[in-house]
Amino acid sequence: MKTTSLDSAIALKPATERETLNGVVPKVSVIIPAYNAMSYLPATVETVLQQTYQAYEVVIVNDGSTDHIEQWFKSSVHDPRFRLVSQANQGLSGARNTGIAQARGEFLAFLDADDLWHPTKLEKQVDALERSPEAGLVYTWLMFVDETAVPTGRVVKHSFTGYVWRQLTAFNFVGCGSVAMVRSRCFVTAGVFDRDLNSYVEDWDMWLRVARASHFAVIREPLVYNRKYSGSLSTHWQKMSESFKKVIEKAFQEASAQELPLKRRSYAYADLCLAWKVIQSKNKQLKTAVGFWLRAFRQHPPILFVPSFLNLGCVLAILSIAGISRYSKVQETISAVRRRLMPRHLSQQPGLVGGQTVSHR
């Protein structure tokens, strides 16, 4: 079998050659990359144990952590379906690639060490892939929570299905690294995660390559709880800007003449995302955020009608009057309104975890 890969160390085996777990090849491999993640990892693992679908294995990749993850695993994790693989630090993409190489399942589900799953996530995704043999990836809606797992009130809902490459070039509607379940064969044809992206938007790049050859399916329920906090990688906008450019240029390297006009739209949505990240980061810079916001419009004027663009315009206007230091208060007010408007079953707290910020490098 020919293996296409961005990492020569990754070589996927067909199911007939994979090791078994108690004589059975697990259907699903859950891959959890972990770098100094012990503040949240036990709660993350607990949401895997609570899954209604149980025919899985879990590969936790210790990516050069300096915390007590190995001691914790030996003393606290006794389920034979769990394995801990330790390596020198290779970054988020490298850790995921190690998990892919270790995986025995037909379906691979990725879970960041500080995120949480709804108990039915695996069950519903497995069912979707089994009912849609043409689909290579199934994603779900997701809900943002704060670092103590309290819902912020924001639910990300997208429903693109089938051949979605054109839609995916605009932005990563899959949402975050804890959402997708992917057929293992997709990594043979599309390669694996690009380690050169330095743990920024590397999942968008991966899904774009998967989308070129496979259809996507969706579960229209928020089954993933994604933590947002000031120290998370997703707020490091300067490095994210560099990664956006790499992903967009790569995605359009072999684009057709009909597809090339989408490139300006891709850069516009990237600028919109960066504008949000600037005001969400620790060092908020209103002038920089406004610059990204205006450049997004110049790149792709139809973005004017995108709700996120209009919302950001309102936020920037408020902050220009009240001052950038007031952003946290504005954000708290918006979150409080969102939580009040949420259906009761969605507003319940998925889990409680205290502790320090997790950063995967």
Side-chain angles (χ1 to χ4, degrees):
M1 177 183 295
K2 182 179 179 181
T3 300
T4 302
S5 175
L6 296 175
D7 189 327
S8 60
I10 304 298
L12 299 173
K13 297 179 180 180
T16 54
E17 297 178 16
R18 296 178 198 155
E19 298 177 16
T20 62
L21 181 64
N22 296 328
V24 178
V25 176
K27 187 77 170 181
V28 176
S29 293
V30 177
I31 297 171
I32 305 177
Y35 175 79
N36 290 343
M38 284 308 301
S39 296
Y40 298 127
L41 182 58
T44 297
V45 167
E46 185 62 29
T47 67
V48 178
L49 291 169
Q50 292 174 359
Q51 291 296 301
T52 55
Y53 184 88
Q54 290 286 303
Y56 63 75
E57 66 169 355
V58 178
V59 181
I60 301 174
V61 181
N62 169 26
D63 193 38
S65 299
T66 56
D67 56 17
H68 59 285
I69 183 171
E70 293 185 343
Q71 294 89 334
W72 165 78
F73 188 86
K74 291 177 182 178
S75 63
S76 303
V77 181
H78 306 296
D79 191 317
R81 295 173 297 178
F82 283 71
R83 284 181 286 152
L84 179 68
V85 179
S86 294
Q87 64 181 27
N89 183 262
Q90 296 182 29
L92 184 54
S93 292
R96 285 177 178 157
N97 291 345
T98 296
I100 292 170
Q102 293 283 329
R104 297 176 287 202
E106 178 184 354
F107 305 149
L108 276 55
F110 298 90
L111 176 58
D112 289 346
D114 52 356
D115 288 341
L116 306 165
W117 280 350
H118 187 277
T120 63
K121 179 184 183 289
L122 291 183
E123 177 185 356
K124 290 175 179 177
Q125 288 187 302
V126 168
D127 180 66
L129 287 178
E130 289 183 335
R131 286 187 291 103
S132 303
E134 73 284 358
L137 181 152
V138 57
Y139 64 102
T140 77
W141 293 352
L142 71 90
M143 179 185 297
F144 289 122
V145 298
D146 65 19
E147 57 190 293
T148 61
V150 174
T152 65
R154 183 183 173 196
V155 178
V156 178
K157 303 177 181 180
H158 297 292
S159 298
F160 301 110
T161 59
Y163 184 75
V164 300
W165 185 85
R166 294 175 67 90
Q167 294 95 327
L168 192 59
T169 58
F171 62 98
N172 182 15
F173 60 75
V174 175
C176 76
S178 300
V179 170
M181 178 180 286
V182 190
R183 295 185 191 274
S184 61
R185 69 178 186 230
C186 291
F187 296 102
V188 176
T189 57
V192 292
F193 290 91
D194 188 346
R195 291 174 57 186
D196 292 335
L197 293 175
N198 301 318
S199 300
Y200 299 94
V201 300
E202 75 295 322
D203 49 342
W204 185 34
D205 168 69
M206 185 72 250
W207 311 148
L208 279 166
R209 285 183 276 123
V210 171
R212 269 303 196 186
S214 301
H215 284 193
F216 280 28
V218 63
I219 308 296
R220 294 175 175 85
E221 298 178 53
L223 302 180
V224 175
Y225 306 100
N226 178 229
R227 292 185 197 268
K228 291 295 179 185
Y229 41 86
S230 60
S232 64
L233 281 174
S234 60
T235 60
H236 296 178
W237 63 268
Q238 295 98 332
K239 293 181 179 179
M240 187 177 289
S241 177
E242 300 170 6
S243 293
F244 268 132
K245 182 176 181 180
K246 291 179 182 178
V247 171
I248 293 170
E249 292 300 321
K250 186 198 300 187
F252 286 93
Q253 277 180 348
E254 300 179 3
S256 66
Q258 293 76 22
E259 293 169 337
L260 279 177
L262 297 172
K263 189 174 181 179
R264 290 183 64 85
R265 184 187 67 172
S266 297
Y267 274 109
Y269 274 87
D271 284 337
L272 176 57
C273 177
L274 291 169
W276 277 110
K277 300 304 179 187
V278 169
I279 61 172
Q280 291 168 351
S281 65
K282 289 183 178 180
N283 300 318
K284 299 173 176 61
Q285 300 174 28
L286 181 59
K287 185 177 180 180
T288 302
V290 171
F292 279 129
W293 185 73
L294 291 175
R295 193 170 72 178
F297 176 74
R298 290 195 295 268
Q299 290 272 18
H300 184 65
I303 204 170
L304 175 65
F305 303 102
V306 174
S308 180
F309 183 86
L310 296 173
N311 292 342
L312 180 57
C314 293
V315 170
L316 293 174
I318 293 171
L319 295 180
S320 67
I321 298 172
I324 195 70
S325 61
R326 301 288 294 174
Y327 176 73
S328 295
K329 185 65 177 178
V330 172
Q331 191 177 39
E332 289 172 7
T333 301
I334 293 173
S335 294
V337 172
R338 282 174 172 163
R339 283 195 294 267
R340 185 169 296 182
L341 296 176
M342 285 178 65
R344 186 175 180 83
H345 72 282
L346 292 181
S347 63
Q348 296 176 352
Q349 201 168 356
L352 277 172
V353 174
Q356 302 173 352
T357 296
V358 172
S359 173
H360 194 122
R361 299 176 182 173

